[in-house]
Amino acid sequence: MKGYHKKVLAIELTERKTSEIPLDEELLAKYVGGSGLGTRFLMDEADGSTDPLGEGNPLIMMTGPFTTTPVTTSSRHSVVFKSPLTGIYAESSCGGFFADELKKTGYDGLIIRGKASSPLYIWLTNEGVEFREAGHLWGQDIFQAHDRILEETAPRAAAAVIGPAGENLVPLAGIGHHGRHTRLAARCGGGAVMGAKNLKAVAVKGNLKSDVADMKALRESIRGLVGQIREATLPMNERGTAESVASNEKKGNLPLKNWYQGRWPEAQKLDGSVITETILVGKSGCRYCPIVCGRRVKMEDNPYGPVVESAGPEYESIGALGGLTLVDDLAAVVKANELCNRFGLDTISTGSAVAFAMEAYEKGIINRKDLDGLELTWGNGKALVEMVKKIGRKEGLGGILGQGVRSAAEAFGGNSVEFAIHTKGLELPMHDPRYYHSQALSYATSNRGACHLAGNCHSHESYLHFEELGYKEPFPRHQLEGKAELVAKLQNYNSLIDSLITCKFLQIGLITPTHHLEWYKMVTGREISLDQFLQIGERIYNLKRMFNVRCGISRKDDTLPPRILTHKRRGEGLVVNMPHLGALLSDYYEYRNWSEDGIPTIEKLKELGLEECL
Amino acid sequence: MKGYHKKVLAIELTERKTSEIPLDEELLAKYVGGSGLGTRFLMDEADGSTDPLGEGNPLIMMTGPFTTTPVTTSSRHSVVFKSPLTGIYAESSCGGFFADELKKTGYDGLIIRGKASSPLYIWLTNEGVEFREAGHLWGQDIFQAHDRILEETAPRAAAAVIGPAGENLVPLAGIGHHGRHTRLAARCGGGAVMGAKNLKAVAVKGNLKSDVADMKALRESIRGLVGQIREATLPMNERGTAESVASNEKKGNLPLKNWYQGRWPEAQKLDGSVITETILVGKSGCRYCPIVCGRRVKMEDNPYGPVVESAGPEYESIGALGGLTLVDDLAAVVKANELCNRFGLDTISTGSAVAFAMEAYEKGIINRKDLDGLELTWGNGKALVEMVKKIGRKEGLGGILGQGVRSAAEAFGGNSVEFAIHTKGLELPMHDPRYYHSQALSYATSNRGACHLAGNCHSHESYLHFEELGYKEPFPRHQLEGKAELVAKLQNYNSLIDSLITCKFLQIGLITPTHHLEWYKMVTGREISLDQFLQIGERIYNLKRMFNVRCGISRKDDTLPPRILTHKRRGEGLVVNMPHLGALLSDYYEYRNWSEDGIPTIEKLKELGLEECL
């Protein structure tokens, strides 16, 4: 099978040595790469008793068969680990240049184990691996450390770096990338896992591409599609992912005031169009990407502190740092976003935590004394920026908020659990399940906790539909019948996508399961049917669930915060229609052939070739 | 105001002394009696920190203004306390002869405080109170102790007695009554509260009836309605409450196999008609009741042990001890029922606990060794009977099950939380919320945990409707719109009923809010409107909620077990239609003018004259 180097590098930090793990074809055929293969390794390395911040938790960084090939958006990697935020399965995926450089070192991925006795970083090329002392980098933010590491290694290297948040073992910490394209593998606390390993960074550069079975056909296919992708995703190219902030607020998809409020026309001030007109200095994209959704912004005279040229806030970041907190001052949101990128903080979870604290402050559960005098009121941009710093530095109340809202609610007490908005410990992303009912079910069941990308299904309730999955048009948002099947199919499919790996935005570019199957055949040379292809996704999705089952996850955890299930947001133009989660789950387990408790049945595991999980 | 003695007796067990608490008219007007007045006292005596089994938890036994009057079914009393099973508000009501005799001692109720240094019982007449040593009764079951106490006091006295379960502080223990009409104030663990006070029994007898404002009119009203009541409730008179076992199974209202199974025609073997044809030796009713729903059964040659003449199993008891366990052997169910009456165990919670253990056994979470060799399989009558004994004796695994399924699931671990069927720690009664959607909401929100009587609303989705509440016909079972309002109105109304007090079966006898209002006026002489009358119920319902708010209850607790929300029972003739709890709750809080977190708003509390709760 082509498309792979057929080996991963195991790195033992404790002993500072490495070994190669060969990958056989059966394994590759079953789990593909990315988070699929990553989960397969995680199953061997960790279980319910593994301490996420202990030496036993591996940090698995995987590329996919498409990485280094001409497949568009394929320079993505997946980080797989047990989450210190949720205590369960975690994957966090990231685009940019890292995946490409990593795979060009001659490995399909890394399994990083143990803990270094002192801070270090890894410098990996196809010539070998070096363990380098990182004492001088410890304490530096991601931008600083990244630039320094490239100085010390190679200017065109790519580095996965943690900031102070990761060093401080903050469970909201992600793993950052800077330079040509500032990006974070943000969700679930991978940065803290790195920090717990005393691992400041992984820098990679190589020149070994994996083979492609039919390069000519692949090049032709990609060439033939680039125009279509570019056209369909043009608004994102023109105004970034934030282009839909205002329209999502209007229709009721953007969460506001910690998921309480119905309308907030001030969102317009944070829309991509405003960013474009005011602070944009350029665009940036991942390697091999025709979409180029990334923004470069710069605000030297930002009243909340200067913002150097780096990634502008994405839709999700604006929703969390702006919508949830009602901060309509773009300068504050941009600064908070830059701070998250520097500290290495997940913007979704960080914004959620600040909004949670704002509500606790409003309700008198915490006070100014707890906040070192900060007036943590709705819409207060200064308070937002200061709280982000406190979270990154694990300072004062920031130390509690950095544990995520589930944990913070336990610490705060006083009914705050009622407005701690998470599923399985992961804060909800910025698509309201009361608007897109498919996301109600998908947030409730996604393997890493509330995740919009695991199903990516909201698009299929608005403008997308996959004929290969049996849909001739987008699915009605409020139709219950058949909704669970749609969600399960899309979760399976996106599990496959996260293993291949391509970007979810390709789906907006009208790239279908058939396109992906064709590319898979062209890259690997492996001839399989569409059904077999899609079944890989189902296998991987079930494997992830089985890891969670080991961690004690079952139906009881497949739920949504009470506010999402019961609170009606009202406002001009909004139609109230609460998602019927019980019925959706009922259909879902049935469709998946899971037990009524949400555990994959033996029959299903056998069908998927997952007997090893029994 | 007539209808009252206007005083309650406070009994201090620690000091073995008593005092009278006068009741002013405003208090009576606001809280009426029964559990309304009882809750008012509980608010003064206990809070979130009160240990339910500590000296600080009062045991409040209240009658109502109708008690001792000719109002039919009025010989009921309400026991109010903080529950050792749920940790929150508890009331448990009971018919028979106790309420009548209690009120005839010249008191509207008792507040029993503290803890006796050694076992004793109280003997109260209108001549005074005696604290009598009960060392010789300790360890006796309710039947034995009851008979002995009547020998020691007066043959026509009434006694509230605990059995070994209460003595053993089993949270499933109720407070029993025997003799002419075997009954338990069963739910929520009042028996354990008595046991913790070293109080074996309260025996009462008196001859002081309270005044009635217009006795002539009252007598005429009652006389004019008795025929109607008798006719409408005739099936219950003829075949007891168990008359509907078979029909409820058929339509999908009887829960089966720990709420998992859809159909079970074997239920027919436990139907009231079979009891009538085989083991019935007589009927029994509460004082002043024309319905006479109680059965007297006797099975001297019962293979599970002889059953002396006493109460036959009710619908709820058969559902829990038979339906949930799939035990279709009437002899086993009757013996288990008698044992519950002797030990003083709530049949609903006990049957639920045994069924829970059966499922844990089936799933290998517990084994024969844990069960001292017992084969705790579905349908095993012997195992059922033995487990009831173990629960009553706090013996082996029975000690865990006797804490209720919520607690047992914590002890068992291994996913058993998925089939621990309770709300707020109270096991669900035998009306399936997947059949009656009104009960889905009512179970989720009822103040003592999952309760079918707090709303008594399932009847209003089948054959009843109250024009006074705005309904011209029974409410469609699966209609969402307006359902929350129906439930809230019925919860309010039944809170009033539990304060007056009459039996819920009068509603089956087509007795309406207007009838109750008329009786209230005739008894008390107080002229109020229907709106004012109904508002009393709302006030009391909110007051109970406020006690629970003190205990940390909020929206997060207003839920149903995942199995009820997501598991479809299938079978011949069953229509699958899952209750949409999120939407129901959303409407409910709105109708009640509670916050979205399920806390009564200041506005609502003021409207109801509950400023004291602020």
Side-chain angles (χ1 to χ4, degrees), chain A residues 260 359 363 415 417-419 552-557 562-568 570 576-583 585-587 589-590 596-599, chain B residues 260 359 363 415 417-419 552-557 562-568 570 576-583 585-587 589-590 596-599:
Chain A
Y260 187 84
E359 186 159 350
K363 294 188 166 160
N415 226 28
V417 65
E418 286 287 354
F419 52 88
I553 292 293
S554 60
R555 172 181 53 184
K556 69 185 185 307
D557 307 294
R563 176 168 286 176
I564 305 298
L565 291 173
T566 71
H567 176 64
K568 293 171 187 150
R570 295 198 188 276
V576 172
N577 202 326
M578 308 301 289
H580 189 346
L581 185 61
L585 281 170
S586 180
D587 291 351
Y589 299 137
E590 219 164 79
E596 60 131 16
D597 297 345
I599 315 289
Chain B
Y260 187 86
E359 186 159 349
K363 293 185 167 163
N415 226 27
V417 66
E418 286 286 355
F419 52 88
I553 292 293
S554 60
R555 172 181 51 185
K556 70 187 184 305
D557 307 293
R563 177 168 285 177
I564 305 299
L565 291 172
T566 71
H567 176 64
K568 293 172 187 150
R570 295 197 188 278
V576 172
N577 203 327
M578 309 300 287
H580 189 344
L581 186 60
L585 281 169
S586 180
D587 291 350
Y589 300 137
E590 218 163 76
E596 61 131 14
D597 296 345
I599 315 289

Side-chain angles (χ1 to χ4, degrees), chain B residues 20 128 217 274 351 479 492 596:
Chain B
E20 287 184 0
V274 176
Q479 181 185 316
N492 292 344
E596 61 131 14

Side-chain angles (χ1 to χ4, degrees), chain B residues 596-607:
Chain B
E596 61 131 14
D597 296 345
I599 315 289
T601 58
I602 293 171
E603 191 186 13
K604 174 53 76 181
L605 293 174
K606 284 185 177 166
E607 176 193 319

Side-chain angles (χ1 to χ4, degrees), chain A residues 250-362:
Chain A
K250 199 169 172 192
K251 68 187 183 189
N253 184 39
L254 187 74
L256 303 168
K257 203 182 180 188
N258 200 24
W259 300 86
Y260 187 84
Q261 190 163 308
R263 289 294 313 275
W264 187 59
E266 288 82 352
Q268 173 61 45
K269 300 183 198 168
L270 307 176
D271 192 70
S273 55
V274 176
I275 293 173
T276 308
E277 288 158 19
T278 54
I279 56 173
L280 192 75
V281 295
K283 302 176 183 178
S284 69
C286 304
R287 184 169 281 172
Y288 311 129
C289 177
I291 303 172
V292 191
C293 67
R295 305 295 93 173
R296 308 279 298 170
V297 299
K298 193 176 171 184
M299 287 185 84
E300 278 178 353
D301 55 352
N302 187 317
Y304 304 96
V307 171
V308 302
E309 185 182 325
S310 58
E314 303 291 331
Y315 170 81
E316 294 291 326
S317 308
I318 291 173
L321 298 168
L324 292 184
T325 63
L326 299 189
V327 171
D328 64 358
D329 183 349
L330 181 60
V333 172
V334 167
K335 182 63 196 173
N337 180 66
E338 189 225 29
L339 285 168
C340 285
N341 284 337
R342 284 183 179 274
F343 278 107
L345 286 170
D346 175 7
T347 52
I348 295 177
S349 288
T350 302
S352 300
V354 175
F356 168 79
M358 284 177 169
E359 186 159 350
Y361 183 71
E362 183 185 40

